[in-house]
Amino acid sequence: MSAISGQADPIEDYLAALTAALHGPARIKARMIEELGGGLADTVAAYTGEGMAYQHAAHRAVAEFGTLDELVPSCQRELTIAQARHTARAVALTAPFLATCWYLAWSTDHDQPWRLPHLAQLLAVHLAGVAGVAAVLAAATLAVTGTLARRLPTPHQLPRAVAWTGTTASVAMAVATLALVTASVLATNWPLLAFAGALAAASHAVMAAPARACRHCAARLPAM
């Protein structure tokens, strides 16, 4: 693609505006913009091959592709689903570690006078429940947006549900980290609890960024 010297290129301006309007996984977004740019280039080439001036051909190609208001919602929906899958994978991989952390805390020091206080035991049960629910929803999301997507429509609110489930699980990881590190100070077998706390902290770090990105993408979906 080329433009007359001194004039703005309608194709470049269109793609730049579309890039700025869309949010989602960088690699998928870049591929989407590249594919759209290729389609525009082919359309322009067809028109210039018929003798039309480049600027006129470029404006006509952009008009045929549609305005940003027409194109952005469908593209953003696709990117949001991709981000939801990325977040679901992060949740599915890390949520089980929360249950593992609390199992380590629960099983340590059974022969010692020190035991997890009752409040900590209740916290362990609730956080393990959060991890279980998050893992189930993550697995369901991957199924619904994967092979089942060819047969069933993806629920409109699913990305938001994944975003907030990931956020809740991430917060649970942070709470678990604090609780386990505190408990390690009181425990005789503190290295095991310290390891569990470090595992929870690492899981929180892995989950927090995808959950935040998924919230950002889901917030840009139009209401239905």
Side-chain angles (χ1 to χ4, degrees):
M1 291 185 294
S2 61
I4 299 175
S5 178
Q7 293 185 345
D9 188 334
I11 302 299
E12 292 181 358
D13 290 346
Y14 184 79
L15 293 178
L18 186 59
T19 299
L22 296 176
H23 298 269
R27 185 165 52 184
I28 298 176
K29 176 180 170 180
R31 185 169 65 243
M32 177 183 291
I33 297 298
E34 182 180 358
E35 290 175 355
L36 289 171
L40 285 166
D42 290 342
T43 303
V44 170
Y47 285 135
T48 55
E50 297 173 358
M52 187 180 295
Y54 175 82
Q55 287 291 113
H56 188 194
H59 281 294
R60 187 167 179 178
V62 167
E64 290 180 0
F65 265 65
T67 66
L68 292 181
D69 289 341
E70 294 170 338
L71 192 59
V72 165
S74 60
C75 291
Q76 184 60 59
R77 175 71 176 169
E78 183 177 343
L79 287 172
T80 300
I81 293 298
Q83 182 61 57
R85 285 183 57 80
H86 181 63
T87 304
R89 280 193 294 269
V91 171
L93 290 173
T94 57
F97 286 125
L98 183 56
T100 301
C101 291
W102 281 113
Y103 173 77
L104 292 175
W106 197 280
S107 61
T108 189
D109 285 347
H110 271 243
D111 296 330
Q112 301 297 329
W114 178 87
R115 298 288 297 276
L116 279 175
H118 181 65
L119 182 59
Q121 292 178 2
L122 290 178
L123 180 63
V125 170
H126 284 89
L127 292 181
V130 169
V133 171
V136 170
L137 180 59
T141 298
L142 292 173
V144 169
T145 57
T147 55
L148 291 179
R150 301 173 183 175
R151 302 178 182 180
L152 300 173
T154 300
H156 183 74
Q157 294 298 328
L158 182 62
R160 290 185 175 90
V162 172
W164 287 107
T165 298
T167 300
T168 302
S170 176
V171 171
M173 289 291 187
V175 173
T177 300
L178 179 61
L180 289 167
V181 170
T182 302
S184 68
V185 177
L186 305 174
T188 303
N189 190 11
W190 65 267
L192 186 60
L193 286 175
F195 170 75
L199 187 62
S203 298
H204 167 73
V206 169
M207 196 182 301
R212 182 168 56 251
C214 195
R215 290 199 311 272
H216 186 61
C217 289
R220 304 186 72 84
L221 288 178
M224 289 187 65

